[in-house]
Amino acid sequence: MPKVGMEPVRRKALVDAALRVIGDHGSLAVTMSDIARQAGVSPALAHHYFGSKEQLLIETIRSLLRQLRSDTVAALKAARTPRARLSAVIRVSFHADQFAPETIAAWLAFYAEAQRSEETRRFLVIYARRLRSNLLANLKVLLPDDAAERIAEGAAAMIDGLYIRQSLKSAPIGIEASIALTEDYLTTQLRGFGR
C-alpha cells in the first residue's frame, strides 16, 4: 500500500487551524505562531509549508471557496429543475459548515482584508460571480433576461446580507429561517411572472 506523505495532512491541519484562530480572534490579526500552536506544529514547519502568514491566509480562503464550490456542484447535480437548482444554491449558501461561527468570522475578516489586499479582493469577487452565475443561469430558463438579472442580484444580496447578519451575535438568524426568507423572496418574484 503506498504511503501518503505528511505534507498534505499538515497543510490541511494548518488551514483548518487558521480558520479556527481567525474565527476566535474575529480578524486576520493573528500570528503564524498562533496558527501553528492551534495545529500542533512548530511555527518553523508552518513557514516551511506556506512561506508566510499571508500565503497561509490565501490558502485558507481558497479552501473555503473550494468547499463551497464542491458543495454547490454536488447540490446542483442532484436538483432536477431550474427552480430546484435555485433552492439548491440557497441551501448550500446557508449550509451548516458555512454557518459555523468560526467560518462566518473568517469570511468577515476576509471581507475587511479585501479593502487592503488585491488578492483577497480577487477571491471574494470570484465567490460573488459564482453565486450570481448559479442563480442567473437557472433564472434565465424561467424569466426574461432583464428580470432574471434583477432577481439574481436581489437573491445574492439577500444571501450575503443574511449571512452577515448571522455574525451579529445579539440577533442571529438561523439556517432554516435564512433559507425560508430567501425562498420566500424568490417565490414572490417568480409568482409575478406566473412561475
Side-chain angles (χ1 to χ4, degrees):
M1 183 170 198
K3 214 175 189 181
V4 177
M6 285 303 294
E7 183 173 348
V9 173
R10 286 193 177 138
R11 286 178 67 88
K12 180 170 180 358
L14 283 161
V15 167
D16 292 346
L19 189 59
R20 285 190 303 275
V21 171
I22 293 165
D24 289 346
H25 281 77
S27 78
L28 300 183
V30 298
T31 66
M32 211 50 155
S33 293
D34 296 332
I35 296 167
R37 188 176 318 108
Q38 178 73 38
V41 301
S42 71
L45 191 61
H47 280 285
H48 169 75
Y49 286 132
F50 290 99
S52 68
K53 180 182 94 168
E54 290 70 28
Q55 288 308 305
L56 174 54
L57 296 178
I58 291 299
E59 183 54 33
T60 302
I61 197 169
R62 276 189 182 130
S63 175
L64 286 170
L65 285 169
R66 274 193 303 268
Q67 186 60 54
L68 186 56
R69 182 176 186 272
S70 173
D71 292 347
T72 302
V73 167
L76 288 171
K77 281 183 182 177
R80 299 287 174 234
T81 66
R83 182 62 180 94
R85 285 190 286 279
L86 289 166
S87 291
V89 170
I90 292 167
R91 189 159 284 284
V92 166
S93 296
F94 297 115
H95 189 269
D97 289 347
Q98 290 297 321
F99 248 52
E102 68 271 10
T103 304
I104 291 171
W107 275 111
L108 291 177
F110 285 124
Y111 271 100
E113 179 65 15
Q115 304 307 305
R116 293 179 294 282
S117 164
E118 185 60 39
E119 193 166 13
T120 302
R121 184 178 311 116
R122 187 171 57 83
F123 283 115
L124 294 173
V125 166
I126 289 169
Y127 154 75
R129 285 183 181 154
R130 281 183 189 162
L131 175 59
R132 184 179 186 280
S133 174
N134 286 325
L135 292 166
L136 193 55
N138 293 291
L139 284 165
K140 281 188 171 186
V141 175
L142 301 170
L143 305 169
D145 287 357
D146 62 333
E149 294 208 18
R150 180 177 49 78
I151 294 168
E153 287 298 329
M158 188 168 219
I159 289 167
D160 288 343
L162 288 166
Y163 192 84
I164 289 168
R165 286 182 70 184
Q166 178 61 22
S167 70
L168 305 173
K169 305 277 189 250
S170 61
I173 311 260
I175 292 171
E176 292 306 319
S178 296
I179 291 168
L181 283 169
T182 310
E183 286 285 354
D184 286 350
Y185 167 78
L186 269 182
T187 298
T188 301
Q189 294 300 312
L190 291 170
R191 193 176 297 135
F193 290 90
R195 297 289 184 167

